[in-house]
Amino acid sequence: MSKDDRKEPGYDLGSTETNGEYFDTITALVAADHEHEIKLRTMTWQKTACLLAGEQVCLAIMAQTWSLSVLGWVPGIITMVLCGFFFWVTSITMHKYIMKHPHIMDICDFGYHVFGQSKVAYIFSAFMMLANNILLIGFHVLTGAKVLNTLSDHSLCTAVFSIIVTIMGIVMSFPRTLQHVSLMSMFSSACMGIAVILFLVYAGIEKAPLYGYNGSYPTDGAVRTYAFPLPGTTWVACMNAVMNITFIWVPQILFPTFISEMERPQDFPKALAVLGVISAILFIAPSAIGFHYLGQYSTAPAFGSLGVVSYKKSSFGFVIVPTLIIGVIYANVTAKFLYTRILGKSRHSHSHTVLGWTVWVLIMVAIWVLGFVFAEIIPSMGDFLSLLSAAFDSFFGFIYFAVAYWQLNRGSLFSGLGRTANTLLNLLILMIGLFLLGPGLYAAVEAIISDYSGSVEPAFTCANMAI
């Protein structure tokens, strides 16, 4: 790596006298990795951008219309824009920190270093990552079963559909490098994009939506939109809508693993910029258009409000692809963590050995089976997404990165107007994380208690779960 590479604009790591040392370490790590039979550090920033888009362009986009229907135009759009801004700030902070500690392989290593090389922080981060990722895999198993239910008019027991999705997920998760998964991600993003476009076309040509949570059209009157929450909207509903928006903007739990498999991790901001543009367009524009046409009849996902069955099937059907592939991405990151803990630095961890592949397959099966179990026993995955946002995104989207900023700039937090403004911004980020962890978690738990107080589907149900 040349000296020019070490001094690229935009990569101020906060310690100019040792920047060269960090890049020398990265070069050494890449060289050591390329000596292995299974090479991990091979992704370009373009492939990383595809991987990021594949993880972010997901079904949760179609839940944002419901969030707008709860919050109204003004609080809803402001929340979306602020979440996008905080996503960029925290992601750049995370990247700067990792560039100073290039041995970081995942969010657990990140937590270990950020909190003063604390083993407690490492264990806590590991538990939170495993819980978050496996619950999300469960959510995608359930979503896949919903798609198959919808397309087939409930031709099989829902639990059977969940088993089918789980088996497909296991098979698709066999590739051990993220470079291979990034190829799937391009296809995933395209299919989700088609689903969104079809939904917007159908919502526009329909005379009126069919279904809303307050009754089928026109039970709740003519379709209308509004600037602020409607009278009677509860604080819990508003908090869940906010966390629903926050959830889609907080994928940083995977970023350290993505960066660790880049050949030039210093190029990560380029991939992040591509993701930022895609997210700003897809997270806001379809939601606003959907709210315009569905109004107070918006559901999550918005496909459920469509009145013509063929419209619903032809748009929602494309979601099966991103559902599986996003599950694969989370499974890959989770399996790598467990795989490394089991095999360590032995040759099996980076070579095509029988033991290495056996352990990889067994871990992958265990992850997807656990996801399947969660999908079957949780009564409302929608509310549990709010729980995930409050319990996990509070740490992995806000708190960890505010602490990382403090670690990067200790001793100069208020040295100059610009640094002072950044310090105050990161203090706000820390407060938002604590707010999500406190009142946000309370709101999510209240919603789950409300679910259990009503009619709850039994575990491993055969009931029709089509939208």
Side-chain angles (χ1 to χ4, degrees), residues 177-432:
T177 67
L178 285 173
Q179 177 167 253
H180 290 90
V181 178
S182 71
L183 298 176
M184 300 184 200
S185 296
M186 290 187 285
F187 188 52
S188 171
S189 300
C191 287
M192 192 65 222
I194 293 171
V196 171
I197 292 170
L198 286 176
F199 162 76
L200 295 177
V201 170
Y202 294 151
I205 64 178
E206 275 191 341
K207 292 183 178 180
L210 172 65
Y211 172 74
Y213 291 133
N214 293 322
S216 298
Y217 182 85
T219 306
D220 199 30
V223 174
R224 64 189 186 279
T225 62
Y226 27 89
F228 296 94
L230 293 172
T233 303
T234 65
W235 179 84
V236 170
C238 287
M239 274 304 303
N240 279 320
V242 168
M243 288 188 293
N244 189 56
I245 295 171
T246 304
F247 172 80
I248 198 173
W249 277 105
V250 181
Q252 290 100 321
I253 191 171
L254 304 179
F255 284 7
T257 305
F258 293 172
I259 294 172
S260 74
E261 295 200 22
M262 292 184 69
E263 193 164 19
R264 285 177 51 86
Q266 60 267 40
D267 287 342
F268 180 74
K270 298 177 183 177
L272 192 66
V274 173
L275 176 64
V277 172
I278 292 173
S279 299
I281 295 171
L282 286 182
F283 293 176
I284 298 177
S287 307
I289 297 171
F291 183 43
H292 170 76
Y293 286 115
L294 303 180
Q296 76 278 23
Y297 291 95
S298 299
T299 60
F303 300 108
S305 296
L306 295 175
V308 180
V309 174
S310 61
Y311 290 174
K312 187 182 300 184
K313 287 185 177 182
S314 61
S315 55
F316 191 46
F318 281 95
V319 175
I320 191 65
V321 176
T323 294
L324 285 167
I325 293 176
I326 294 170
V328 168
I329 294 173
Y330 277 94
N332 185 283
V333 171
T334 308
K336 276 200 174 77
F337 171 77
L338 295 172
Y339 188 80
T340 305
R341 301 289 81 72
I342 294 171
L343 293 179
K345 296 181 179 180
S346 70
R347 67 184 183 89
H348 304 288
S349 65
H350 52 71
S351 301
H352 294 294
T353 65
V354 173
L355 177 61
W357 276 103
T358 300
V359 171
W360 178 261
V361 171
L362 289 176
I363 290 173
M364 201 57 75
V365 170
I367 289 170
W368 278 94
V369 168
L370 276 174
F372 164 77
V373 171
F374 278 118
E376 295 304 303
I377 64 176
I378 292 174
S380 173
M381 287 301 292
D383 288 336
F384 270 75
L385 283 182
S386 295
L387 180 65
L388 285 173
S389 181
F392 302 125
D393 293 350
S394 56
F395 287 103
F396 299 131
F398 297 91
I399 296 173
Y400 271 41
F401 307 116
V403 176
Y405 174 85
W406 175 76
Q407 292 280 22
L408 284 169
N409 299 285
R410 279 188 299 177
S412 60
L413 291 171
F414 300 98
S415 59
L417 184 61
R419 181 60 57 81
T420 299
N422 275 328
T423 298
L424 294 176
L425 174 61
N426 279 274
L427 180 60
L428 175 61
I429 288 171
L430 176 63
M431 292 172 64
I432 291 172

Side-chain angles (χ1 to χ4, degrees), residues 72-102:
W73 285 115
V74 176
I77 296 297
I78 289 175
T79 302
M80 290 177 177
V81 172
L82 286 177
C83 281
F85 173 72
F86 291 134
F87 159 76
W88 177 262
V89 172
T90 54
S91 298
I92 289 296
T93 299
M94 176 207 66
H95 177 254
K96 288 181 178 180
Y97 191 86
I98 290 176
M99 292 300 290
K100 289 192 70 171
H101 301 84

